[in-house]
Amino acid sequence: MTRAAPTTLRPTTPKEVRDAVLDTPGRLAITGAGTARHWAGRPAGVDATLDLSGLSGVIAHNPGDMTVSVHAGTPLRALQDELAAHGQRLALDAARVARGATVGGLVATADAGPSALVYGGMRDLVIGATTVLADGTMVRSGGHVIKNVAGYDVAKLMHGSYGTFGPLVEVVLRLHPAPRATTCVAVDGPVDRAAEHVLRLMASPLEPIAVEWLSGEPGRLLVRLEGGERTLPARVARLVELLGDGAREVDGAAAWDAHAALTAGSGAAPDAAVVRIGCAPRTLAPLIGRLPATAVTAGLATGVATVTVPATAVPEVHDTVAAAGGTSVLRDRPASAEVPAWGPAPSSLALLRAVKTRLDPDARFAPGRFDPWM
Amino acid sequence: MPLDAPIRAEFVALLGDQDVIDDPVRTRTYECDGLTGNRVVPELVLLPRTADDVAGCVRICARHRIPFVARGAGTGLSGGALPVADGVVIGLNRLNRVLEVDPENRRAVLEPGVTNLEITAAAAPHGLYFAPDPSSQQVCTIGGNVAENSGGAHCLKYGFTTNHVLSVEVVLPDGSLVTLGSDSAEQQGPDLRGVFLGSEGTLGVVTKVTVRLLRTPEVMRTLLADFPSVAAGGQVVSDIVAAGIVPAAVEMMDALAIEAAEGATGAGYSLDTPAALVVELDGTVEECDEQFAQVKEICDRHGCTRLHVAGSPAERAKIWRGRKAAFAAVGRISPDYIVQDGVVPRTRLAEVLERIEQMGSEAGLRVANVFHAGDGNLHPLVLFSAAAGETERAEELSSAIAELCVEMGGSLSGEHGIGTDKACSMPKMFGEEDLAVMDRLRSAFDPDRICNPGKLLPTPRLCGEKPGHYRPHPLEEAGLIERL
C-alpha cells in the first residue's frame, strides 16, 4: 500500500483528541513541543501525527492541597511561572524544560533533571492522568490526592511509554513549596575524584538537592542546596569545608544552564549522538571512564548520566552499560544515523508486549518507538 | 474444582510434605487477614522457601488453573489476602532474609517476608533508614508494603512505598520470573514496576525487593500539641504547609483515639483535649531549628492549649508508640471496630470530619479518628458491638465514610488497599471505562484470572460474583445481562 504524506492533527480539547483517534485510520505518532522528537526509536510507518501542543493550560490549581491538573500539552516552563506566583513549583528540572518541553512529553519520555535525587522524576510527581486509548476509551486514574491506592496506577504505565499506549490528555501533579533560597557550590576535578566527594557528601547530613558532575578540563562537580535565607549560609560553609579541594559558591543559574546544555549535547560534533544511561550510583564513575564520551553530565548520587558519543559508538555504549548492569536509551542522533535506540531487552518484555496488545491491539500508537523490542 | 490428590502430590514433590498444609485445623490459620470479618478457609497452604519454589508453585497453579493468593504477615486491613475456597495460599514468611545492605549505593535487597522494621534495623548501623513506616511496621512485611503501597506517617515528606522501591523481582501468574524496575532511577520503557506497586497481589507474587535507603537525618524534632477542636488542628496543618514547611510527619488524633492510645501506652497524651497533633520535623540543625520555631508559633496562633516537645529520643519514641498503637488500643474502648482508610484533599479535612461525626450519630455508633493529616489520609475507626447486633450498621457506616471521601474529591484508599472490602465501592470512584481498562491491564498479567481473584476490581465486572475462575453471574445465566 502506498502511504500518503502523513497528516498532522492539532486537537485542542480532550474530546477532539478522542475524535481524532477514532476518526483517523491507521498508525499515529504523538508529539508535543517536539523537544524529544528524536529520542528513542524513530516513528516508523506513521499515517498521521497527533500534535498535542494545542491542548494546553491549567485545568485546576488547588494551592492549599498543593496539586494541579493540566492539559498534557502545557509547557512546563509556563506552568512553573503560574505556580511561582503562589510560592509553589513542580520539583522537576529536566534540561529541556527551558526549550518548551510539555508536561505530557516529560511524562511520556520519563525525563528528569538533577533534582531527581530528592524529588524523583515525573513518575514520583504524577498523581493522576487521563489517556485516550486506540478504541477511543478515555481512561482516568488517580486524582487530586497525593496518597492513593485505589486501582492500578495507570499514570505510572504512561511514564516512559513514549505514547505507545495512547496520548495523555490530562495530568495531575503534586507540587512542592518553592525554596526560600537556593545556592550552588562547585568543586573542580575529574570524575573519579568527584565520586569520592559525593560518597562523603551523601554520608553527611547536608541534604543536597542535586549533585552532578560535568565533564571538561578538568571537570566540575555541582552541588545544589535549598533552604531558608538565614540558614543556608551556615550549611554552605559546612559543605565547602566538607568538600575542601577549592570548593566555592558559584553562580547557580549559569552553572545549571551549562549543565542543561551539556545534557542536551549542545555544541557536539554533527556525527555525535546522546545516550542516557542509568546504573547503581557507585558504578557510574568507572563506567563513564569506559565509554568513548566527548561530553558527560553525571548524577553521581543517582546513577543517571547523559553522555555524548560518536554515533557509530552507540552499540558499544549499550553493550558496555548492560555489562555493568545498567540501562541505556538513545536520545538525539544525526538524522542519517541508523543506530539501535535501546540496549538489551528487559526480562519483562513479554509482559510489556502483552500490555501493549491489551491496550492497543492493532498497534496504532507510536510505532517504531520501542523498535526492536516491540 | 477441589484440589485432588495428584495436584497435591505435585506441590509435595516440589516443596516436601511438611511445607504443604492441608490439615483443616492448620489451614484455618490462614482464613483471613486483618479484616477478620471476612473468612475463607483455603484448600491448601504452601510455604515455599525460595523464589524458585514460589515460581514452581505458581506454575503448578497455572497448569491446573488453580487460584492462588500470596500472603505475608496478614496485617492487611482490606481483605487483600483473603483466600479463595478452592484455591491455595502461598505464604511468603519463610522468604525472610535481608539479602544485602549496600551503604555506598544506599539500597537494600530483601526477600518479601522481611518486616518493615527489620529493614531499618539492618540499615541503621550504616546511618541509613527506610522511610516508609506503616503503623504495623514491627510485623508487616515489605512484600505486603509493595502489594498495598502502604507507607505510614512519613510519606508526606518522603513519598510513598512506590517512590522507594527501585525494582521488584516477581513471579507472574504464568510462573515466569521477571524483574520490574532497575538499579537506578533511570527507567527503560513504561513503568511496570509502578503498576505493580499497590496492585494488591493481583498481578503476581513478589520474591525480591530492592529499596532505596535514606540517610538518617541530622536531627528530628517532635512535638505534641493539643487543640480546642479538630478544626483548629486542621488549620494548623494548612498553615504549616502554606508557610512552605514540609514536616516529616503530621498526625492527628481526636478525643476517642487519644483515650484509647493513652490508656494502652501511657504516651503522655492529654485526656481532656478534643484533638492532638503530632508534628515531626527533620533535617539539618539549621533548617530544623528555624522551621520548628515557626511551627510552634503557628500552633500558638490557633489556640494550642498544651505544647509538649520531646526532649529526648526516648520521649520521641513514646509519642510515636502512642500514635502507632492507636488502632489496636481502640479494642480497649470498644468490643469490635472496623478500621477504614480513605483520603481527602487536605483542605477538606475539617469538613469531612464534621460529616463523619454527623454520620456516626445518625447511625448511633462512635467513630474514633486517628490519621495522617499532612496528606489527608483518614483512618476512621468505627466502634461497634457484634454481640449487640451492630455489625451490619457498622459496615454500612464504614463504607459510607469511604465513599464520602470520594465525594470530597479524594480516594477510597490511601494505604490499606481496596481488597475485598471496598471492591464494590470502586464504581463510586471510577467510571465503567476506567474499570474496564484496569481489567484489561490485569488480564495482560493474568489472562486466566488465577492471581488473587476477587480483589480490587468488582470481580470480574459485577459485585456479587464469587471470586475464582470465571463463572456466569446468576443474572447472566438468566439471560438478563451479558458479558462484554
Side-chain angles (χ1 to χ4, degrees), chain B residues 377-388:
Chain B
N377 186 191
L378 298 170
H379 289 312
L381 302 152
V382 178
L383 315 188
F384 70 100
S385 163

Side-chain angles (χ1 to χ4, degrees), chain B residues 42-202:
Chain B
E43 192 118 343
L44 281 182
V45 175
L46 310 171
L47 299 175
R49 291 166 192 273
T50 66
D52 284 344
D53 283 353
V54 176
C57 291
V58 173
R59 274 197 293 273
I60 295 170
C61 290
R63 199 156 55 239
H64 300 289
R65 297 199 172 187
I66 301 163
F68 59 90
V69 179
R71 176 194 163 103
T75 56
L77 289 164
S78 60
L82 183 74
V84 176
D86 54 2
V88 303
V89 164
I90 302 176
L92 296 169
N93 296 73
R94 289 178 175 172
L95 277 78
N96 59 2
R97 291 174 301 161
V98 174
L99 298 173
E100 188 187 357
V101 176
D102 175 356
E104 291 201 350
N105 286 308
R106 297 179 305 285
R107 64 202 52 209
V109 185
L110 315 150
E111 289 188 327
V114 174
T115 66
N116 181 285
L117 200 57
E118 282 168 352
I119 307 172
T120 286
H126 307 284
L128 301 169
Y129 77 111
F130 182 55
D133 59 345
S135 293
S136 55
Q137 68 177 145
Q138 290 192 34
V139 281
C140 69
T141 61
I142 184 66
N145 295 166
V146 165
E148 304 294 335
N149 193 18
S150 46
H154 289 94
C155 290
L156 173 65
K157 178 169 179 181
Y158 291 107
F160 309 94
T161 303
T162 190
N163 308 124
H164 294 268
V165 171
L166 287 164
S167 67
V168 281
E169 178 190 82
V170 303
V171 176
L172 295 176
D174 66 358
S176 58
L177 197 66
V178 303
T179 298
L180 309 178
S182 71
D183 259 356
S184 76
E186 177 64 8
Q187 182 187 310
Q188 268 205 316
D191 185 15
L192 294 174
R193 160 194 51 154
V195 174
F196 194 91
L197 267 285
S199 63
E200 305 192 38
T202 62

Side-chain angles (χ1 to χ4, degrees), chain A residues 4 28 46 63 105 116 139 149 153 157-158 187 189 205 214 223 233 283 286 293 298-299 301 323 337 367:
Chain A
L28 298 170
V46 172
V139 59
V149 199
D153 197 341
L157 185 67
M158 300 306 151
V187 57
L214 283 65
V223 181
T283 309

Side-chain angles (χ1 to χ4, degrees), chain A residues 18 64-66 110 117 123-124 133 135-142 144-154 156-157 159-161 164-165 174 177 180 199 202-207 226-228 230-232 234-235 238 276-283 301-304 325 327-329 342-344 347-348 351-352 354-355 358-359 361 370 373, chain B residues 104-107 148-149 152 155-156 159-160 162-163 172 178-180 182-195 198-200 202-203 212 215 217-218 241 243-244 246 283-287 290 343-347 372 375 377 409-415 417-418 426 429-431 433-434 437-438 440-445 447 456-457:
Chain A
R18 182 185 188 143
D65 295 313
M66 303 192 83
L117 173 64
R123 77 175 293 279
D124 303 288
L133 301 185
D135 60 3
T137 299
M138 300 263 265
V139 59
R140 183 178 64 90
S141 71
H144 274 269
V145 286
I146 60 173
K147 208 173 186 190
N148 195 349
V149 199
Y152 299 128
D153 197 341
V154 180
K156 297 274 193 291
L157 185 67
H159 187 255
S161 68
T164 198
F165 303 125
R174 80 170 290 193
R180 300 288 164 88
L199 194 60
M202 296 312 290
S204 83
L206 290 173
E207 303 193 345
E226 292 176 355
R230 285 201 305 270
T231 54
L232 205 52
R235 286 170 62 210
R238 286 168 74 186
R276 180 82 149 184
I277 63 178
C279 61
R282 287 290 287 162
T283 309
T302 58
V304 178
T327 59
S328 53
V329 57
W342 301 92
S347 61
S348 57
L351 179 61
L352 193 56
V355 173
R358 289 297 195 289
L359 299 186
F370 284 100
W373 295 358
Chain B
E104 291 201 350
N105 286 308
R106 297 179 305 285
R107 64 202 52 209
E148 304 294 335
N149 193 18
C155 290
L156 173 65
F160 309 94
T162 190
N163 308 124
L172 295 176
V178 303
T179 298
L180 309 178
S182 71
D183 259 356
S184 76
E186 177 64 8
Q187 182 187 310
Q188 268 205 316
D191 185 15
L192 294 174
R193 160 194 51 154
V195 174
S199 63
E200 305 192 38
T202 62
L203 302 181
R212 227 159 44 94
R215 191 198 178 280
E218 186 173 32
V241 173
V246 183
T284 58
V285 175
E286 297 89 352
E287 299 296 337
E290 179 171 275
V343 194
V344 294
R346 186 174 44 227
T347 48
H372 310 302
D375 45 32
N377 186 191
S411 170
L412 286 170
S413 173
E415 57 182 349
I418 300 300
M426 285 288 273
M429 184 164 168
F430 295 104
E433 285 196 332
D434 306 323
V437 171
M438 287 186 199
R440 279 155 77 179
L441 191 51
R442 181 181 197 155
S443 71
F445 284 76
L456 198 154
L457 295 172

Side-chain angles (χ1 to χ4, degrees), chain B residues 419-431:
Chain B
T420 48
D421 191 30
K422 287 185 276 192
C424 289
S425 296
M426 285 288 273
K428 302 272 181 192
M429 184 164 168
F430 295 104

